[in-house]
Amino acid sequence: MALIDNLIEEGWLKNKRIIEAFKKVKRKDFLPEDIKNLAELNEALPIGLGQTISQPLVVAFMLEQLQPQPGDKILDVGSGSGWTTALLAEIIGSRGKVIAIEVIPELMEFGKKNVEKYNFVEKGVVEFICADGSKGYPNIASRPELAEGFDKILASAAAPELSPVWKEQLKIGGRIVTPIGSSIWLFIKKSEKKGFVFEEVEYPGFTFVPLITK
């Protein structure tokens, strides 16, 4: 718990529900066997296939900007190890839904297996799909519960620009948190007039693996 205590002391973790999720959803459960002993390190770690599990400080910061709430419907792009997916699922609870998109099939299976340790898939809180997350959720038209769009969209890999499909698939008042280049960006959807109006905030000085697209 030293890592979580440090994140709280340094001001990265503030929200009570996010702190509780960090305490309950153990990072080591989302790491390959040979590096589980490194779970308490506050740095990104390799999970194979050229991908990483994000630095805890960065995950904490992004979740604080995202402000997930109980009952939210969230699109988790580049779900990777599944750690962020499980944190989101813990925060939003049984009335919420996380749709986790991962483009690399083996990585999607790895992440799904990890998230299943917490029964979120079995309970229907998390659903995994293998697809190009930059194109949003492919089956949104077939989901009446997503008619207004997602409450939140989180991406864990850097895109060159904000996906126009994410803008479209977010409900008014919703939040997108995504890396673009070496910055984390927060986008809040204010209106759907004239091709969508967003409030934008940039937080520079971060490093991410690039978002893989098809």
Side-chain angles (χ1 to χ4, degrees), residues 146-181:
L146 295 173
E148 289 180 30
F150 289 98
D151 297 288
K152 313 277 158 64
I153 296 175
L154 177 71
S156 297
E161 60 183 5
L162 181 63
S163 161
V165 189
W166 297 353
K167 289 182 178 182
E168 202 175 295
Q169 292 189 349
L170 189 73
K171 67 164 57 169
I172 292 175
R175 300 167 86 90
I176 297 172
V177 174
T178 181
I180 298 174

PDB file of all heavy atoms in Angstrom, residues 146-181:
ATOM      1  N   LEU A 146     -27.112   2.975 -25.091  1.00  0.00           N
ATOM      2  CA  LEU A 146     -26.065   3.928 -25.492  1.00  0.00           C
ATOM      3  C   LEU A 146     -26.590   4.948 -26.502  1.00  0.00           C
ATOM      4  O   LEU A 146     -25.814   5.611 -27.178  1.00  0.00           O
ATOM      5  CB  LEU A 146     -24.875   3.172 -26.088  1.00  0.00           C
ATOM      6  CG  LEU A 146     -24.099   2.247 -25.136  1.00  0.00           C
ATOM      7  CD1 LEU A 146     -23.071   1.435 -25.898  1.00  0.00           C
ATOM      8  CD2 LEU A 146     -23.440   3.041 -24.013  1.00  0.00           C
ATOM      9  N   ALA A 147     -27.901   5.068 -26.579  1.00  0.00           N
ATOM     10  CA  ALA A 147     -28.519   5.981 -27.562  1.00  0.00           C
ATOM     11  C   ALA A 147     -28.013   7.410 -27.404  1.00  0.00           C
ATOM     12  O   ALA A 147     -27.809   8.125 -28.389  1.00  0.00           O
ATOM     13  CB  ALA A 147     -30.037   5.936 -27.433  1.00  0.00           C
ATOM     14  N   GLU A 148     -27.793   7.845 -26.161  1.00  0.00           N
ATOM     15  CA  GLU A 148     -27.282   9.208 -25.925  1.00  0.00           C
ATOM     16  C   GLU A 148     -25.765   9.263 -25.981  1.00  0.00           C
ATOM     17  O   GLU A 148     -25.177  10.337 -25.934  1.00  0.00           O
ATOM     18  CB  GLU A 148     -27.756   9.714 -24.552  1.00  0.00           C
ATOM     19  CG  GLU A 148     -29.231  10.025 -24.478  1.00  0.00           C
ATOM     20  CD  GLU A 148     -29.623  10.511 -23.086  1.00  0.00           C
ATOM     21  OE1 GLU A 148     -28.780  11.134 -22.400  1.00  0.00           O
ATOM     22  OE2 GLU A 148     -30.764  10.255 -22.691  1.00  0.00           O
ATOM     23  N   GLY A 149     -25.122   8.098 -26.044  1.00  0.00           N
ATOM     24  CA  GLY A 149     -23.664   8.045 -26.071  1.00  0.00           C
ATOM     25  C   GLY A 149     -23.083   7.613 -24.737  1.00  0.00           C
ATOM     26  O   GLY A 149     -23.797   7.341 -23.772  1.00  0.00           O
ATOM     27  N   PHE A 150     -21.759   7.551 -24.694  1.00  0.00           N
ATOM     28  CA  PHE A 150     -21.036   7.182 -23.465  1.00  0.00           C
ATOM     29  C   PHE A 150     -20.954   8.381 -22.524  1.00  0.00           C
ATOM     30  O   PHE A 150     -20.857   9.523 -22.968  1.00  0.00           O
ATOM     31  CB  PHE A 150     -19.620   6.719 -23.807  1.00  0.00           C
ATOM     32  CG  PHE A 150     -19.562   5.375 -24.491  1.00  0.00           C
ATOM     33  CD1 PHE A 150     -19.444   5.296 -25.868  1.00  0.00           C
ATOM     34  CD2 PHE A 150     -19.631   4.205 -23.756  1.00  0.00           C
ATOM     35  CE1 PHE A 150     -19.397   4.057 -26.509  1.00  0.00           C
ATOM     36  CE2 PHE A 150     -19.588   2.964 -24.379  1.00  0.00           C
ATOM     37  CZ  PHE A 150     -19.473   2.891 -25.761  1.00  0.00           C
ATOM     38  N   ASP A 151     -20.957   8.097 -21.223  1.00  0.00           N
ATOM     39  CA  ASP A 151     -20.736   9.160 -20.231  1.00  0.00           C
ATOM     40  C   ASP A 151     -19.275   9.599 -20.244  1.00  0.00           C
ATOM     41  O   ASP A 151     -18.970  10.784 -20.065  1.00  0.00           O
ATOM     42  CB  ASP A 151     -21.085   8.655 -18.811  1.00  0.00           C
ATOM     43  CG  ASP A 151     -22.547   8.287 -18.687  1.00  0.00           C
ATOM     44  OD1 ASP A 151     -23.374   9.211 -18.674  1.00  0.00           O
ATOM     45  OD2 ASP A 151     -22.864   7.076 -18.631  1.00  0.00           O
ATOM     46  N   LYS A 152     -18.378   8.632 -20.437  1.00  0.00           N
ATOM     47  CA  LYS A 152     -16.946   8.917 -20.389  1.00  0.00           C
ATOM     48  C   LYS A 152     -16.238   8.054 -21.433  1.00  0.00           C
ATOM     49  O   LYS A 152     -16.659   6.930 -21.717  1.00  0.00           O
ATOM     50  CB  LYS A 152     -16.358   8.583 -19.006  1.00  0.00           C
ATOM     51  CG  LYS A 152     -17.160   9.120 -17.805  1.00  0.00           C
ATOM     52  CD  LYS A 152     -16.850  10.555 -17.478  1.00  0.00           C
ATOM     53  CE  LYS A 152     -17.931  11.250 -16.693  1.00  0.00           C
ATOM     54  NZ  LYS A 152     -18.204  10.735 -15.372  1.00  0.00           N
ATOM     55  N   ILE A 153     -15.128   8.576 -21.960  1.00  0.00           N
ATOM     56  CA  ILE A 153     -14.242   7.792 -22.832  1.00  0.00           C
ATOM     57  C   ILE A 153     -12.818   7.999 -22.331  1.00  0.00           C
ATOM     58  O   ILE A 153     -12.377   9.138 -22.150  1.00  0.00           O
ATOM     59  CB  ILE A 153     -14.362   8.219 -24.315  1.00  0.00           C
ATOM     60  CG1 ILE A 153     -15.789   7.937 -24.843  1.00  0.00           C
ATOM     61  CG2 ILE A 153     -13.323   7.485 -25.173  1.00  0.00           C
ATOM     62  CD1 ILE A 153     -16.050   8.425 -26.276  1.00  0.00           C
ATOM     63  N   LEU A 154     -12.120   6.881 -22.109  1.00  0.00           N
ATOM     64  CA  LEU A 154     -10.731   6.933 -21.639  1.00  0.00           C
ATOM     65  C   LEU A 154      -9.851   6.192 -22.632  1.00  0.00           C
ATOM     66  O   LEU A 154     -10.177   5.088 -23.046  1.00  0.00           O
ATOM     67  CB  LEU A 154     -10.620   6.267 -20.260  1.00  0.00           C
ATOM     68  CG  LEU A 154      -9.206   6.182 -19.670  1.00  0.00           C
ATOM     69  CD1 LEU A 154      -8.711   7.558 -19.236  1.00  0.00           C
ATOM     70  CD2 LEU A 154      -9.170   5.221 -18.485  1.00  0.00           C
ATOM     71  N   ALA A 155      -8.745   6.804 -23.026  1.00  0.00           N
ATOM     72  CA  ALA A 155      -7.761   6.118 -23.875  1.00  0.00           C
ATOM     73  C   ALA A 155      -6.437   6.045 -23.131  1.00  0.00           C
ATOM     74  O   ALA A 155      -6.059   6.990 -22.438  1.00  0.00           O
ATOM     75  CB  ALA A 155      -7.586   6.857 -25.196  1.00  0.00           C
ATOM     76  N   SER A 156      -5.755   4.913 -23.264  1.00  0.00           N
ATOM     77  CA  SER A 156      -4.505   4.715 -22.526  1.00  0.00           C
ATOM     78  C   SER A 156      -3.280   4.673 -23.428  1.00  0.00           C
ATOM     79  O   SER A 156      -2.210   4.244 -23.014  1.00  0.00           O
ATOM     80  CB  SER A 156      -4.599   3.427 -21.700  1.00  0.00           C
ATOM     81  OG  SER A 156      -5.631   3.551 -20.742  1.00  0.00           O
ATOM     82  N   ALA A 157      -3.443   5.085 -24.696  1.00  0.00           N
ATOM     83  CA  ALA A 157      -2.310   5.167 -25.623  1.00  0.00           C
ATOM     84  C   ALA A 157      -2.469   6.445 -26.441  1.00  0.00           C
ATOM     85  O   ALA A 157      -3.577   6.933 -26.627  1.00  0.00           O
ATOM     86  CB  ALA A 157      -2.284   3.936 -26.524  1.00  0.00           C
ATOM     87  N   ALA A 158      -1.350   6.964 -26.902  1.00  0.00           N
ATOM     88  CA  ALA A 158      -1.359   8.292 -27.535  1.00  0.00           C
ATOM     89  C   ALA A 158      -1.792   8.252 -28.992  1.00  0.00           C
ATOM     90  O   ALA A 158      -1.230   7.524 -29.807  1.00  0.00           O
ATOM     91  CB  ALA A 158       0.035   8.915 -27.426  1.00  0.00           C
ATOM     92  N   ALA A 159      -2.795   9.048 -29.306  1.00  0.00           N
ATOM     93  CA  ALA A 159      -3.252   9.218 -30.689  1.00  0.00           C
ATOM     94  C   ALA A 159      -2.679  10.535 -31.224  1.00  0.00           C
ATOM     95  O   ALA A 159      -2.335  11.426 -30.447  1.00  0.00           O
ATOM     96  CB  ALA A 159      -4.771   9.263 -30.729  1.00  0.00           C
ATOM     97  N   PRO A 160      -2.566  10.681 -32.562  1.00  0.00           N
ATOM     98  CA  PRO A 160      -2.073  11.949 -33.106  1.00  0.00           C
ATOM     99  C   PRO A 160      -3.087  13.080 -32.945  1.00  0.00           C
ATOM    100  O   PRO A 160      -2.730  14.250 -32.915  1.00  0.00           O
ATOM    101  CB  PRO A 160      -1.805  11.642 -34.580  1.00  0.00           C
ATOM    102  CG  PRO A 160      -2.552  10.385 -34.880  1.00  0.00           C
ATOM    103  CD  PRO A 160      -2.750   9.650 -33.597  1.00  0.00           C
ATOM    104  N   GLU A 161      -4.388  12.733 -32.841  1.00  0.00           N
ATOM    105  CA  GLU A 161      -5.446  13.744 -32.680  1.00  0.00           C
ATOM    106  C   GLU A 161      -6.663  13.090 -32.045  1.00  0.00           C
ATOM    107  O   GLU A 161      -6.733  11.862 -31.932  1.00  0.00           O
ATOM    108  CB  GLU A 161      -5.826  14.330 -34.047  1.00  0.00           C
ATOM    109  CG  GLU A 161      -6.333  13.273 -35.017  1.00  0.00           C
ATOM    110  CD  GLU A 161      -6.636  13.816 -36.402  1.00  0.00           C
ATOM    111  OE1 GLU A 161      -6.355  14.999 -36.647  1.00  0.00           O
ATOM    112  OE2 GLU A 161      -7.162  13.047 -37.220  1.00  0.00           O
ATOM    113  N   LEU A 162      -7.623  13.907 -31.615  1.00  0.00           N
ATOM    114  CA  LEU A 162      -8.849  13.375 -31.017  1.00  0.00           C
ATOM    115  C   LEU A 162      -9.703  12.712 -32.094  1.00  0.00           C
ATOM    116  O   LEU A 162     -10.004  13.329 -33.119  1.00  0.00           O
ATOM    117  CB  LEU A 162      -9.633  14.503 -30.338  1.00  0.00           C
ATOM    118  CG  LEU A 162     -10.940  14.089 -29.651  1.00  0.00           C
ATOM    119  CD1 LEU A 162     -10.688  13.129 -28.506  1.00  0.00           C
ATOM    120  CD2 LEU A 162     -11.705  15.312 -29.162  1.00  0.00           C
ATOM    121  N   SER A 163     -10.094  11.477 -31.858  1.00  0.00           N
ATOM    122  CA  SER A 163     -10.913  10.748 -32.830  1.00  0.00           C
ATOM    123  C   SER A 163     -12.276  11.422 -33.005  1.00  0.00           C
ATOM    124  O   SER A 163     -12.987  11.665 -32.024  1.00  0.00           O
ATOM    125  CB  SER A 163     -11.124   9.303 -32.351  1.00  0.00           C
ATOM    126  OG  SER A 163     -12.221   8.712 -33.004  1.00  0.00           O
ATOM    127  N   PRO A 164     -12.666  11.729 -34.249  1.00  0.00           N
ATOM    128  CA  PRO A 164     -13.978  12.337 -34.480  1.00  0.00           C
ATOM    129  C   PRO A 164     -15.132  11.425 -34.037  1.00  0.00           C
ATOM    130  O   PRO A 164     -16.190  11.896 -33.638  1.00  0.00           O
ATOM    131  CB  PRO A 164     -14.013  12.584 -35.988  1.00  0.00           C
ATOM    132  CG  PRO A 164     -12.868  11.845 -36.570  1.00  0.00           C
ATOM    133  CD  PRO A 164     -11.880  11.606 -35.490  1.00  0.00           C
ATOM    134  N   VAL A 165     -14.888  10.095 -34.086  1.00  0.00           N
ATOM    135  CA  VAL A 165     -15.939   9.153 -33.664  1.00  0.00           C
ATOM    136  C   VAL A 165     -16.159   9.243 -32.147  1.00  0.00           C
ATOM    137  O   VAL A 165     -17.282   9.155 -31.674  1.00  0.00           O
ATOM    138  CB  VAL A 165     -15.587   7.693 -34.062  1.00  0.00           C
ATOM    139  CG1 VAL A 165     -16.766   6.771 -33.811  1.00  0.00           C
ATOM    140  CG2 VAL A 165     -15.168   7.618 -35.512  1.00  0.00           C
ATOM    141  N   TRP A 166     -15.085   9.444 -31.387  1.00  0.00           N
ATOM    142  CA  TRP A 166     -15.248   9.606 -29.935  1.00  0.00           C
ATOM    143  C   TRP A 166     -16.106  10.836 -29.638  1.00  0.00           C
ATOM    144  O   TRP A 166     -16.967  10.797 -28.765  1.00  0.00           O
ATOM    145  CB  TRP A 166     -13.892   9.750 -29.246  1.00  0.00           C
ATOM    146  CG  TRP A 166     -12.985   8.570 -29.369  1.00  0.00           C
ATOM    147  CD1 TRP A 166     -13.285   7.344 -29.901  1.00  0.00           C
ATOM    148  CD2 TRP A 166     -11.619   8.501 -28.966  1.00  0.00           C
ATOM    149  NE1 TRP A 166     -12.188   6.527 -29.860  1.00  0.00           N
ATOM    150  CE2 TRP A 166     -11.149   7.201 -29.287  1.00  0.00           C
ATOM    151  CE3 TRP A 166     -10.742   9.406 -28.375  1.00  0.00           C
ATOM    152  CZ2 TRP A 166      -9.838   6.796 -29.023  1.00  0.00           C
ATOM    153  CZ3 TRP A 166      -9.447   9.012 -28.113  1.00  0.00           C
ATOM    154  CH2 TRP A 166      -8.997   7.712 -28.435  1.00  0.00           C
ATOM    155  N   LYS A 167     -15.854  11.913 -30.374  1.00  0.00           N
ATOM    156  CA  LYS A 167     -16.648  13.141 -30.189  1.00  0.00           C
ATOM    157  C   LYS A 167     -18.127  12.845 -30.379  1.00  0.00           C
ATOM    158  O   LYS A 167     -18.980  13.318 -29.625  1.00  0.00           O
ATOM    159  CB  LYS A 167     -16.230  14.210 -31.207  1.00  0.00           C
ATOM    160  CG  LYS A 167     -14.867  14.830 -30.994  1.00  0.00           C
ATOM    161  CD  LYS A 167     -14.674  15.894 -32.066  1.00  0.00           C
ATOM    162  CE  LYS A 167     -13.360  16.624 -31.945  1.00  0.00           C
ATOM    163  NZ  LYS A 167     -13.244  17.676 -32.966  1.00  0.00           N
ATOM    164  N   GLU A 168     -18.399  12.056 -31.413  1.00  0.00           N
ATOM    165  CA  GLU A 168     -19.768  11.719 -31.769  1.00  0.00           C
ATOM    166  C   GLU A 168     -20.404  10.800 -30.730  1.00  0.00           C
ATOM    167  O   GLU A 168     -21.579  10.955 -30.370  1.00  0.00           O
ATOM    168  CB  GLU A 168     -19.717  11.008 -33.126  1.00  0.00           C
ATOM    169  CG  GLU A 168     -20.990  11.030 -33.926  1.00  0.00           C
ATOM    170  CD  GLU A 168     -20.739  10.387 -35.276  1.00  0.00           C
ATOM    171  OE1 GLU A 168     -19.944  10.927 -36.075  1.00  0.00           O
ATOM    172  OE2 GLU A 168     -21.319   9.319 -35.502  1.00  0.00           O
ATOM    173  N   GLN A 169     -19.621   9.826 -30.231  1.00  0.00           N
ATOM    174  CA  GLN A 169     -20.174   8.791 -29.349  1.00  0.00           C
ATOM    175  C   GLN A 169     -20.235   9.208 -27.878  1.00  0.00           C
ATOM    176  O   GLN A 169     -20.661   8.426 -27.024  1.00  0.00           O
ATOM    177  CB  GLN A 169     -19.373   7.489 -29.507  1.00  0.00           C
ATOM    178  CG  GLN A 169     -19.551   6.854 -30.870  1.00  0.00           C
ATOM    179  CD  GLN A 169     -18.951   5.455 -30.974  1.00  0.00           C
ATOM    180  OE1 GLN A 169     -18.210   5.000 -30.108  1.00  0.00           O
ATOM    181  NE2 GLN A 169     -19.269   4.768 -32.056  1.00  0.00           N
ATOM    182  N   LEU A 170     -19.851  10.435 -27.575  1.00  0.00           N
ATOM    183  CA  LEU A 170     -19.908  10.947 -26.201  1.00  0.00           C
ATOM    184  C   LEU A 170     -21.196  11.737 -26.003  1.00  0.00           C
ATOM    185  O   LEU A 170     -21.601  12.508 -26.866  1.00  0.00           O
ATOM    186  CB  LEU A 170     -18.710  11.864 -25.944  1.00  0.00           C
ATOM    187  CG  LEU A 170     -18.493  12.315 -24.499  1.00  0.00           C
ATOM    188  CD1 LEU A 170     -17.963  11.169 -23.642  1.00  0.00           C
ATOM    189  CD2 LEU A 170     -17.523  13.506 -24.441  1.00  0.00           C
ATOM    190  N   LYS A 171     -21.832  11.544 -24.849  1.00  0.00           N
ATOM    191  CA  LYS A 171     -23.063  12.307 -24.589  1.00  0.00           C
ATOM    192  C   LYS A 171     -22.729  13.734 -24.161  1.00  0.00           C
ATOM    193  O   LYS A 171     -21.596  14.015 -23.717  1.00  0.00           O
ATOM    194  CB  LYS A 171     -23.947  11.607 -23.556  1.00  0.00           C
ATOM    195  CG  LYS A 171     -23.395  11.526 -22.159  1.00  0.00           C
ATOM    196  CD  LYS A 171     -24.453  11.171 -21.119  1.00  0.00           C
ATOM    197  CE  LYS A 171     -25.167   9.864 -21.392  1.00  0.00           C
ATOM    198  NZ  LYS A 171     -25.991   9.408 -20.254  1.00  0.00           N
ATOM    199  N   ILE A 172     -23.665  14.636 -24.272  1.00  0.00           N
ATOM    200  CA  ILE A 172     -23.446  16.020 -23.846  1.00  0.00           C
ATOM    201  C   ILE A 172     -23.184  16.033 -22.339  1.00  0.00           C
ATOM    202  O   ILE A 172     -23.889  15.374 -21.572  1.00  0.00           O
ATOM    203  CB  ILE A 172     -24.645  16.915 -24.215  1.00  0.00           C
ATOM    204  CG1 ILE A 172     -24.731  17.058 -25.732  1.00  0.00           C
ATOM    205  CG2 ILE A 172     -24.526  18.297 -23.576  1.00  0.00           C
ATOM    206  CD1 ILE A 172     -25.920  17.812 -26.243  1.00  0.00           C
ATOM    207  N   GLY A 173     -22.150  16.759 -21.935  1.00  0.00           N
ATOM    208  CA  GLY A 173     -21.745  16.771 -20.528  1.00  0.00           C
ATOM    209  C   GLY A 173     -20.710  15.698 -20.222  1.00  0.00           C
ATOM    210  O   GLY A 173     -20.125  15.667 -19.151  1.00  0.00           O
ATOM    211  N   GLY A 174     -20.458  14.802 -21.200  1.00  0.00           N
ATOM    212  CA  GLY A 174     -19.499  13.717 -21.009  1.00  0.00           C
ATOM    213  C   GLY A 174     -18.055  14.188 -21.112  1.00  0.00           C
ATOM    214  O   GLY A 174     -17.779  15.282 -21.614  1.00  0.00           O
ATOM    215  N   ARG A 175     -17.155  13.336 -20.665  1.00  0.00           N
ATOM    216  CA  ARG A 175     -15.730  13.679 -20.617  1.00  0.00           C
ATOM    217  C   ARG A 175     -14.900  12.643 -21.364  1.00  0.00           C
ATOM    218  O   ARG A 175     -15.140  11.446 -21.228  1.00  0.00           O
ATOM    219  CB  ARG A 175     -15.241  13.749 -19.160  1.00  0.00           C
ATOM    220  CG  ARG A 175     -15.981  14.786 -18.332  1.00  0.00           C
ATOM    221  CD  ARG A 175     -15.695  14.600 -16.831  1.00  0.00           C
ATOM    222  NE  ARG A 175     -14.485  15.278 -16.402  1.00  0.00           N
ATOM    223  CZ  ARG A 175     -14.431  16.525 -15.952  1.00  0.00           C
ATOM    224  NH1 ARG A 175     -15.525  17.247 -15.862  1.00  0.00           N
ATOM    225  NH2 ARG A 175     -13.279  17.061 -15.580  1.00  0.00           N
ATOM    226  N   ILE A 176     -13.922  13.126 -22.128  1.00  0.00           N
ATOM    227  CA  ILE A 176     -12.916  12.267 -22.760  1.00  0.00           C
ATOM    228  C   ILE A 176     -11.568  12.627 -22.141  1.00  0.00           C
ATOM    229  O   ILE A 176     -11.221  13.807 -22.053  1.00  0.00           O
ATOM    230  CB  ILE A 176     -12.830  12.499 -24.283  1.00  0.00           C
ATOM    231  CG1 ILE A 176     -14.149  12.134 -24.976  1.00  0.00           C
ATOM    232  CG2 ILE A 176     -11.664  11.692 -24.889  1.00  0.00           C
ATOM    233  CD1 ILE A 176     -14.190  12.514 -26.464  1.00  0.00           C
ATOM    234  N   VAL A 177     -10.823  11.612 -21.705  1.00  0.00           N
ATOM    235  CA  VAL A 177      -9.443  11.835 -21.257  1.00  0.00           C
ATOM    236  C   VAL A 177      -8.558  10.953 -22.133  1.00  0.00           C
ATOM    237  O   VAL A 177      -8.736   9.736 -22.193  1.00  0.00           O
ATOM    238  CB  VAL A 177      -9.263  11.490 -19.764  1.00  0.00           C
ATOM    239  CG1 VAL A 177      -7.788  11.581 -19.366  1.00  0.00           C
ATOM    240  CG2 VAL A 177     -10.089  12.445 -18.899  1.00  0.00           C
ATOM    241  N   THR A 178      -7.639  11.587 -22.825  1.00  0.00           N
ATOM    242  CA  THR A 178      -6.798  10.849 -23.775  1.00  0.00           C
ATOM    243  C   THR A 178      -5.425  11.492 -23.929  1.00  0.00           C
ATOM    244  O   THR A 178      -5.317  12.716 -23.880  1.00  0.00           O
ATOM    245  CB  THR A 178      -7.486  10.782 -25.166  1.00  0.00           C
ATOM    246  OG1 THR A 178      -6.659  10.031 -26.071  1.00  0.00           O
ATOM    247  CG2 THR A 178      -7.729  12.160 -25.762  1.00  0.00           C
ATOM    248  N   PRO A 179      -4.385  10.679 -24.124  1.00  0.00           N
ATOM    249  CA  PRO A 179      -3.098  11.254 -24.487  1.00  0.00           C
ATOM    250  C   PRO A 179      -3.113  11.633 -25.966  1.00  0.00           C
ATOM    251  O   PRO A 179      -3.628  10.895 -26.804  1.00  0.00           O
ATOM    252  CB  PRO A 179      -2.109  10.104 -24.259  1.00  0.00           C
ATOM    253  CG  PRO A 179      -2.890   8.993 -23.641  1.00  0.00           C
ATOM    254  CD  PRO A 179      -4.311   9.216 -23.944  1.00  0.00           C
ATOM    255  N   ILE A 180      -2.587  12.813 -26.272  1.00  0.00           N
ATOM    256  CA  ILE A 180      -2.322  13.210 -27.652  1.00  0.00           C
ATOM    257  C   ILE A 180      -0.885  13.717 -27.662  1.00  0.00           C
ATOM    258  O   ILE A 180      -0.567  14.680 -26.957  1.00  0.00           O
ATOM    259  CB  ILE A 180      -3.303  14.296 -28.151  1.00  0.00           C
ATOM    260  CG1 ILE A 180      -4.755  13.764 -28.142  1.00  0.00           C
ATOM    261  CG2 ILE A 180      -2.924  14.763 -29.553  1.00  0.00           C
ATOM    262  CD1 ILE A 180      -5.807  14.808 -28.488  1.00  0.00           C
ATOM    263  N   GLY A 181      -0.033  13.017 -28.405  1.00  0.00           N
ATOM    264  CA  GLY A 181       1.391  13.359 -28.339  1.00  0.00           C
ATOM    265  C   GLY A 181       1.913  13.109 -26.934  1.00  0.00           C
ATOM    266  O   GLY A 181       1.689  12.051 -26.356  1.00  0.00           O
TER     267      GLY A 181
END
